[in-house]
């Protein structure tokens, strides 16, 4: 990973050509209730309606589509808490290659089932005691598989950047953009598109309060590692930013904000009641931060990326009820 060059907006453009006709061009939705409540014009980029239910299909497919014939033949290995797994499994199936996915023992049942359903082989590990990166690397070495990490890879970042590219193409320039933050693939890709297509927009990454390594890293200037945070936002339970994602975030992002599990629950409820949308906890990070910044958003045009909608339905009901 150390030898990789930072991706640029040109790579995002190339990725958007590669995924065209395969990934969905997801809708940009608005809500007059949200606009009235925030005193702003809000544009929700709805990646919960992306194939397999999250933006990760963009980066996964873009990466696998670039494999050589030899790499395709041996197949891909990935480690993931869920959505990256499904993205790689589905992309591999579409491209006709084998996939092995390393998943944590406590990954949501729906995500494990969906990954197996796409035809991938699933290897389970304990997220609190084992190192998934090591397991992934061992499998890659032993079987000649190509490892595609969930965020710290130029093709993954470029693919994730296509969501914001589509958003700006559809609604034009924005004053503020909010994107969920885990390891930073989505945020760094969003940053490349934002600085190219709406350069003066203020761009914020939003991570769970329980695991604010991204905020600590951004404010201190070097990558901070933390223990796996306990939060309902399982798509953002990462322990550190990446060697590729962090320099882009440092250069192009205005700040990193946080949201509590309680705020995420309230926003999931809002999406369900007002917009009839199932949004997973991590997908609600952007709205949570925008609500907290309401005073600054008055009269502004605001883009919020809803990153995904994959949540076990029994768990979803539980999260909304409490
Ligand atoms: C992976 C994921 C994130 C975080 O993305 P990073 O690229 O790791 O920052 C946010 N939301 C959802 C739904 C995800 O699956």
């Amino acid at each position: 990973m150390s030898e990789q060059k930072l991706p640029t907006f040109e790579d995002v453009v190339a990725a958007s050509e590669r995924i065209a006709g395969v990934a969905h061009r997801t809708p940009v939705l608005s809500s007059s209730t949200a606009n009235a409540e925030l005193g702003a014009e809000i544009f929700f980029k709805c990646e919960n309606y992306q194939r397999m239910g999250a933006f990760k299909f963009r980066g996964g497919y873009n990466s696998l589509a670039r494999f050589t014939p030899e790499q395709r033949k041996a197949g891909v290995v990935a480690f993931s808490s869920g959505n990256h797994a499904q993205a790689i499994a589905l992309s591999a199936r579409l491209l006709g290659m084998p996939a092995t996915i390393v998943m944590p023992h406590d990954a949501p049942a729906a995500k494990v089932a969906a990954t197996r359903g796409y035809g991938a082989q699933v290897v389970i590990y304990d997220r609190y005691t084992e190192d998934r990166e090591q397991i992934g690397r061992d499998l890659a070495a032993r079987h000649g598989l190509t490892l595609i990490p969930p965020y710290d890879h130029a093709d993954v970042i470029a693919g994730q950047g296509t969501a914001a590219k589509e958003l700006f193409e559809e609604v034009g320039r924005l004053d503020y953009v909010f994107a969920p933050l885990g390891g930073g693939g989505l945020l760094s890709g969003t940053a490349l598109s934002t600085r190219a297509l709406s350069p003066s927009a203020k761009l914020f990454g939003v991570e769970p309060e329980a695991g604010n390594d991204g905020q600590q890293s951004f404010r201190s200037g070097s990558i901070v590692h933390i223990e796996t945070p306990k939060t309902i936002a399982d798509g953002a339970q990462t322990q550190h930013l990446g060697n590729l994602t962090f320099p882009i975030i440092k250069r192009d992002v205005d700040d990193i904000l946080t949201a509590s599990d309680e705020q995420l629950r309230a926003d999931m409820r809002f999406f369900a009641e007002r917009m009839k949308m199932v949004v997973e906890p991590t997908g609600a990070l952007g709205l949570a931060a925008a609500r907290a910044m309401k005073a600054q958003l008055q009269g502004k045009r605001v883009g919020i990326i809803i990153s995904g909608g994959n949540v076990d339905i029994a768990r979803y009901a539980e999260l909304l009820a409490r």
Side-chain angles (χ1 to χ4, degrees), residues 146-186:
T146 302
L147 176 67
I148 297 296
Y151 53 87
D152 208 25
H153 188 289
D155 296 334
V156 172
I157 294 168
Q160 318 307 31
T162 60
K165 176 175 175 285
E166 290 173 8
L167 172 63
F168 294 120
E169 285 168 355
E170 188 158 338
V171 306
R173 292 191 177 205
L174 295 169
D175 300 308
Y176 286 83
V177 177
F178 295 87
L181 170 62
L186 178 63

Side-chain angles (χ1 to χ4, degrees), residues 103-185:
M103 297 185 89
H105 67 289
D106 59 349
K111 293 185 179 182
V112 178
T115 304
R116 289 210 170 102
Y118 290 130
Q121 191 191 331
V122 174
V123 175
I124 300 283
Y125 78 103
D126 184 336
R127 95 154 82 212
Y128 296 101
T129 61
E130 294 180 283
D131 179 356
R132 66 179 189 174
E133 307 196 13
Q134 194 54 50
I135 294 171
R137 269 187 221 106
D138 288 349
L139 282 166
R142 225 178 308 132
H143 305 291
L145 313 179
T146 302
L147 176 67
I148 297 296
Y151 53 87
D152 208 25
H153 188 289
D155 296 334
V156 172
I157 294 168
Q160 318 307 31
T162 60
K165 176 175 175 285
E166 290 173 8
L167 172 63
F168 294 120
E169 285 168 355
E170 188 158 338
V171 306
R173 292 191 177 205
L174 295 169
D175 300 308
Y176 286 83
V177 177
F178 295 87
L181 170 62

Side-chain angles (χ1 to χ4, degrees), residues 47 50 67 96 130 136 152 204 222 226 228 230 245 269 272 276 317:
E47 287 296 299
Q50 185 52 263
F67 276 22
E130 294 180 283
D152 208 25
F204 297 100
S222 55
I226 58 167
T228 301
K230 293 211 161 79
T245 60
R269 219 172 281 131
K276 318 306 163 197

Side-chain angles (χ1 to χ4, degrees), residues 47-48 52-56 80-84 111 132 150-152 156-157 160 179-189 206 233-238 240-241 245 249 280-285 305-310:
E47 287 296 299
N48 50 318
M52 51 63 52
F55 71 91
K56 288 219 174 60
S80 166
S81 58
N83 285 333
H84 178 63
K111 293 185 179 182
R132 66 179 189 174
Y151 53 87
D152 208 25
V156 172
I157 294 168
Q160 318 307 31
L181 170 62
L186 178 63
L187 182 59
S188 58
V206 191
D234 58 280
Q237 280 182 307
T238 40
H240 56 86
L241 298 177
T245 60
I249 289 169
E280 63 180 274
T282 316
L285 282 163
I305 299 181
I306 297 175
S307 52
N310 289 328

Side-chain angles (χ1 to χ4, degrees), residues 268 271-272 277-279 311-321:
M268 289 169 69
F271 285 127
M277 287 202 296
V278 175
V279 174
V311 50
D312 196 72
I313 205 71
R315 172 140 180 78
Y316 181 67
E318 209 178 279
L319 288 170
L320 291 193

